[in-house]
């Protein structure tokens, strides 16, 4: 095989293999899925993703439950770690589901994020390495964290405790000769309380998973309003950098319509990759794993691997956080925090998005 002009032999081989895949049409959806999975295996297996110029701290947030926040957090983290990067996950949800998926200990009494937030303990004393994925660490959450919301209320600098602890930990790693952390992902509870506020203050970027269902955008206005308040008072550098469409079912018109609306109004922030509904993704946590190690060849694992590549390449290219030309105005606030004419709160999501058309 003759290498193509401008490509190294490995890239040339990948490109030739992708071109050899059979053609598909809209009448062959199963073949289209199989071709997409085959392309992802060829293009992504064994590939090392680019390192960001500095540590990227990303909070995964959506106050609506069941949209795939924890699943997205742990699988993106595992995919990036498998691709040669150093990744830390902060489990800031009292349910501790991210800790379960990472395979790290989080029974009551385990040093955890609770001690970091409430007692001021160093992260270095509580962080654990995932047994399944090298270069992937997690700060676990135990049941004690469920009381942290109340205990934090009376504390000094209650909104910045996680940020101060993380800054200290990142400096400690470098001072002790350890490799720099490339990505920090913060998993949030499905609420907008003090735990989520700490997650917004510690981060520079927000990644919003949006379920491809009718109610997907119903709570987006409140989330954007909260982010605007954090920008104004606590963290001016915070911005929505990424939107990921999850639980996508290409067989339904509804999923396609939701995806098209989100892409129309957030074109620069929405990843090209969509995460499909997948039994393998749902099964993986019951084995204490992410889908990246539970079934690396499944459609769900390949989708998260491709989404991770997009996140890494966008960060390396410095294209994150640019305002969209067609920014959606939701309930009086655009995603960049600018105040816009108020839209009535009980309008359906489709009406909110169509307001600017």
């Amino acid at each position: 095989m003759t290498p193509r002009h401008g490509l190294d032999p490995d890239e040339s081989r990948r490109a030739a293999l992708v071109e050899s895949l059979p053609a598909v049409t809209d009448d062959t959806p199963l073949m289209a899925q199989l071709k997409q999975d085959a392309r992802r295996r060829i293009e992504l297996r064994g590939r090392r993703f680019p390192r960001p110029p500095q540590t990227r701290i990303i909070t995964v947030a959506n106050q609506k439950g069941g949209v795939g926040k924890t699943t997205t957090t742990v699988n993106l983290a595992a995919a990036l770690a498998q691709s040669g990067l150093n990744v830390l996950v902060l489990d800031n949800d009292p349910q501790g589901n991210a800790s379960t998926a990472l395979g790290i200990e989080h029974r009551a009494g385990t040093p955890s994020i609770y001690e970091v937030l409430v007692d001021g303990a160093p992260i270095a004393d509580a962080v654990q390495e995932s047994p399944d994925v090298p270069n992937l660490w997690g700060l676990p959450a135990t049941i004690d964290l469920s009381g942290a919301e109340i205990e934090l209320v009376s504390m000094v600098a209650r909104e910045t405790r996680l940020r101060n602890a993380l800054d200290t930990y990142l400096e400690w790693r470098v001072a002790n000769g350890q490799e720099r952390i490339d990505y920090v992902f913060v998993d949030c509870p499905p609420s907008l309380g003090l735990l989520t506020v700490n997650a917004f203050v510690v981060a520079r970027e927000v990644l919003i998973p949006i379920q491809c269902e009718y109610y997907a955008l119903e709570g987006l206005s409140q989330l954007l309003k909260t982010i605007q308040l954090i920008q104004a008072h606590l963290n001016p550098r915070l911005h929505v950098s990424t939107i990921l469409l999850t639980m996508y079912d290409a067989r339904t018109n509804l999923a396609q319509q939701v995806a098209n609306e989100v892409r129309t109004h957030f074109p620069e922030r929405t990843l090209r990759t969509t995460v499909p509904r997948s039994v393998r993704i749902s099964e993986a946590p019951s084995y204490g794993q992410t889908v990246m190690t539970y079934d690396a060849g499944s459609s769900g694992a390949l989708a998260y691997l491709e989404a991770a590549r997009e996140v890494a390449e966008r960060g390396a290219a410095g294209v994150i956080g640019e305002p969209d030309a067609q920014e959606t105005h939701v309930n009086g606030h655009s995603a960049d925090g600018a105040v816009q004419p108020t839209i009535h709160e009980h309008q359906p999501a489709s009406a909110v998005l169509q307001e600017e058309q």
Side-chain angles (χ1 to χ4, degrees):
M1 185 182 300
T2 303
R4 302 178 177 202
H5 179 68
L7 292 178
D8 63 40
D10 187 52
E11 290 296 327
S12 179
R13 178 185 61 81
R14 291 177 190 265
L17 286 172
V18 169
E19 284 188 3
S20 70
L21 296 173
V24 298
T25 67
D26 292 338
D27 297 327
T28 57
L30 179 57
M31 180 60 74
Q33 182 64 56
L34 292 173
K35 179 179 178 180
Q36 183 183 58
D37 288 350
R39 176 188 61 78
R40 286 170 171 168
R41 288 189 188 95
I42 293 168
E43 291 185 347
L44 300 174
R45 280 289 174 81
R47 184 186 292 273
R48 296 182 72 84
F49 296 163
R51 296 189 72 186
Q54 59 187 9
T55 301
R56 291 179 64 185
I57 306 171
I58 303 173
T59 286
V60 182
N62 191 332
Q63 80 274 15
K64 184 180 183 301
V67 299
K69 290 187 299 297
T70 299
T71 300
T72 294
T73 300
V74 297
N75 286 301
L76 283 181
L80 289 166
Q82 287 180 339
S83 302
L85 301 171
N86 298 314
V87 185
L88 171 65
V89 174
L90 306 182
D91 189 353
N92 203 32
D93 185 346
Q95 297 176 84
N97 293 335
S99 303
T100 298
L102 295 177
I104 60 178
E105 183 61 60
H106 63 107
R107 289 179 294 184
T110 303
S112 68
I113 197 169
Y114 171 82
E115 283 77 18
V116 171
L117 287 171
V118 176
D119 299 334
I123 290 179
D125 290 350
V127 73
Q128 302 177 39
E129 186 166 11
S130 172
D132 301 311
V133 184
N135 305 321
L136 175 59
W137 292 268
L139 178 62
T142 64
I143 191 63
D144 294 334
L145 190 61
S146 57
E149 292 274 7
I150 297 174
E151 294 181 66
L152 285 170
V153 169
S154 60
M155 291 189 174
V156 176
R158 60 192 181 188
E159 300 92 352
T160 61
R161 296 178 73 85
L162 186 58
R163 181 174 69 185
N164 295 336
L166 180 61
D167 289 345
T168 301
Y169 174 69
L170 296 178
E171 294 171 0
W172 175 86
R173 282 186 64 96
V174 174
N176 282 269
Q178 299 184 27
E179 286 192 331
R180 185 194 74 188
I181 294 290
D182 297 305
Y183 284 86
V184 178
F185 286 93
V186 188
D187 187 31
C188 291
S191 66
L192 293 176
L194 274 174
L195 291 178
T196 301
V197 169
N198 265 272
F200 282 146
V201 172
V202 76
R204 303 296 179 268
E205 306 173 42
V206 179
L207 186 155
I208 305 177
I210 295 183
Q211 182 183 9
C212 293
E213 300 287 355
Y214 176 74
Y215 290 118
L217 301 171
E218 285 287 311
L220 188 58
S221 60
Q222 183 61 45
L223 180 60
L224 297 181
K225 181 177 179 181
T226 300
I227 292 172
Q228 182 207 12
L229 291 173
I230 299 295
Q231 288 172 330
H233 300 288
L234 295 168
N235 186 3
R237 298 173 60 188
L238 186 69
H239 59 277
V240 178
S241 66
T242 310
I243 293 175
L244 176 63
L245 296 166
T246 63
M247 304 180 192
Y248 180 77
D249 188 345
R251 299 171 299 177
T252 67
N253 290 331
L254 177 60
Q256 295 178 29
Q257 290 167 1
V258 171
N260 289 337
E261 286 185 341
V262 173
R263 293 189 192 283
T264 297
H265 293 273
F266 298 95
E268 300 302 323
R269 301 172 193 263
T270 307
L271 298 183
R272 296 186 304 274
T273 306
T274 56
V275 178
R277 287 192 176 276
S278 167
V279 173
R280 293 302 193 194
I281 292 177
S282 302
E283 287 177 346
S286 66
Y287 291 86
Q289 298 181 52
T290 66
V291 74
M292 307 307 300
T293 56
Y294 176 66
D295 189 350
S298 65
S299 295
L302 293 169
Y304 272 117
L305 187 58
E306 185 160 54
R309 179 175 70 167
E310 278 195 73
V311 170
E313 291 180 346
R314 284 155 60 102
V319 297
I320 55 175
E322 296 298 324
D324 292 324
Q326 303 181 59
E327 198 68 74
T328 303
H329 304 147
V330 186
N331 197 27
H333 300 273
S334 70
D336 61 0
V339 178
Q340 303 294 338
T342 300
I343 297 172
H344 206 276
E345 287 189 6
H346 68 254
Q347 282 183 279
S350 57
V352 170
L353 287 177
Q354 292 168 4
E355 184 74 13
E356 294 296 308
Q357 295 180 342

